[in-house]
Amino acid sequence: MRGYPGLLTALVLGLLVSCSQPEPKAVPTDQAGSLPIHEAPVAPSDYRIQWGKLSIPLSKFANPEVYKGEAALPLDEFKTLIGQPMQVFKATQSLPFEVVQLHREPYQRFGPFWFSYPAFIPEQGFDASVVSTYQNGIRPGDVISLRIDAADSIRIQSLHIRVIDPMLPYSPVVKVPHPRHTQESFGFQVIQESGQRPILRIDTSATETRHIYELYQQNALYKIVHVPGFQTYNRLLTDRDQLFSTQEIRRTTTLTDPLDWKALPDYMDYRGPEVELRWGPLSANPMSPNYHLWQIEGQLSESLRLFVGTSTLPIHSFQLIIAGADQQPEMWVANSLQQPELAKRLWQLQPAQTLYFNRIIVEPEPGCLKLFPQAFAFNIESARPFRLILKETDAVVPFFSAGQDTTVSPVRLSMKGTPLSVALLSLLELDSNQVHWSGLHQDPQLDITFASSRYALSDGKAMILEQLEEEYRLEIDWRPTPPQYDLQLKDSLLLQEHLAFEDSGRIIWDQQERTALVLRAPLSGVLQLMQRELGVPVQNNLPVSETALFRGHLDFSSIAAARSSLAQFGLSLQRSKACSQVVIRQRPLQ
């Protein structure tokens, strides 16, 4: 956790956050779409980059005059762009500039794609040798970074160009950080965002943090927000902790009297249990898998449900940010997805977008409002080729047909004359003794075909299951069972890079951060540590011996953190279905 100079001596309060304080006042809404201080939209920068036909707006990154910008485009367009002239504009005025650095991420000094002060003529572009290197060596997924100094002491510290492959799965640029359940909590929080007045959240009457309060009280620059009994797991929030900076939000629409979230206590009772935001059958914890647009559209009449373990927290209000590959971020402040203006906007969603739910205010007890300090995101898949056909065997016309008729795509799944009940077992990946049927009035034989060169079999199964549930009015109820997880192999080559087979080492454990530096330790020891810290049984399904030596850095501060760190080594941690019990009901025809 990042520190803050001069504040590291703060003591940890042992008091529970009280809900006896008065409810924060709603922020005045004299002007439509207004937001509390620290969130009010800021005028966009006058600066932009014109590179060939591509115009890249710049936003303030740091003081005094440091800016950043980003763009994404397909490989063929980038190959043209790299050879085009470039200009830096302030409004309509062209400014003199020089390119200080050009490289491919991750940064490798003196690598083949690293150029310091590359030969560049604004009216012509980069030197032919630079253009050739990038045209021949860049691949989809690469990120190209430039640093530029311009007149008026302007520095463009970060100009990122992402090279995308329209056929690859959608991956949002902004990822939601996973929860980290560390040992330490704090009685204050400093919020610093570029271009905004810094803020201190603190209980001004608490003796344990009195010295912190007095330190900041002497600095008129800071706004002090009194929160009775304040406690948090994050003592410093900076630009890095923001999903989007205030300057990046194109438009904000406020549909409810917005409470000042900074005046609310943080919800602290979610250490250990997994947190999850559910939207109908869709789930984000905290990032969702990629859902299809029609799956999202099918949930627009459903309410959000926030789970901490198996318990639900009533949601009072939230911020929703819609962003994507071709969508500048826009924010909505609402208390329901069914508010007419927001519902109308959600029907206009497009593929390759993400819905971020942030600043969620919960009401764990009547009249007791708290800020839930975790964001969630639902991803909408980009449009990729597939073919899905569902029909009853004796029918002439399919009851569902979707996707492009890409006959060259490999068939991922095919069923002929398969009873609905048997198909469901296969799609759910369950044994017959794990499923209990309730009123299955129909069990027709089905012909199912799913083909795609871009979607995995698991994606196809999810699509098929969704359509069968709708066509045959099925309700699939997963009964609560003690959580159990499977450690599975996802990328064997990646795993091999982190295995050793001699000179056993040790595990260096950071108790405060709940992270482990594994130095050639046996896999069995890593599994024991994982189960102890996560508090759940983990079944080892890896095709390697438990005596194999593992090396790497792992984060066990939460289930989501463990998943994220294991993915770097080609491993996945999935909720086990071995002990699952499912009830499948069929609603009668109305």
Side-chain angles (χ1 to χ4, degrees), residues 54-66:
L54 181 65
S55 181
I56 307 173
L58 301 177
S59 59
K60 191 74 171 288
F61 179 67
N63 291 322
E65 293 294 336
V66 184

Side-chain angles (χ1 to χ4, degrees), residues 295-364:
Q295 290 177 291
I296 296 289
E297 290 175 341
Q299 313 312 319
L300 295 185
S301 62
E302 299 288 336
S303 299
L304 296 170
R305 294 177 297 156
L306 178 58
F307 282 79
V308 177
T310 58
S311 302
T312 59
L313 276 177
I315 296 176
H316 177 273
S317 60
F318 53 82
Q319 292 179 1
L320 166 61
I321 300 174
I322 302 173
D326 299 312
Q327 162 76 40
Q328 279 189 291
E330 61 178 273
M331 180 190 292
W332 297 75
V333 181
N335 53 28
S336 170
L337 294 174
Q338 285 72 51
Q339 290 178 266
E341 191 174 349
L342 177 55
K344 180 180 178 181
R345 173 62 184 90
L346 293 176
W347 275 110
Q348 300 169 359
L349 291 171
Q350 298 295 320
Q353 291 184 342
T354 297
L355 287 78
Y356 297 90
F357 291 92
N358 195 22
R359 310 297 187 210
I360 299 174
I361 296 177
V362 298
E363 193 170 5

Side-chain angles (χ1 to χ4, degrees), residues 3 22 85 89 150 172 179 205 237 332 392 394 413 446 506 529 566:
F89 281 95
S205 63
L237 296 179
W332 297 75
E392 295 189 358
D394 56 358
L413 186 149
L446 303 174
R506 60 185 179 132
L529 177 63
L566 288 167

Side-chain angles (χ1 to χ4, degrees), residues 491-501 544 551 569:
D491 187 328
S492 59
L493 294 178
L494 200 54
L495 176 61
Q496 288 299 321
E497 294 179 8
H498 296 88
L499 291 180
F501 297 94
V544 295
R551 56 190 178 189
F569 309 122

Side-chain angles (χ1 to χ4, degrees), residues 436-454:
H436 307 274
W437 306 92
S438 177
L440 188 64
H441 310 291
Q442 299 171 270
D443 197 13
Q445 293 185 330
L446 303 174
D447 293 346
I448 300 174
T449 302
F450 172 72
S452 179
S453 59
R454 297 290 176 171

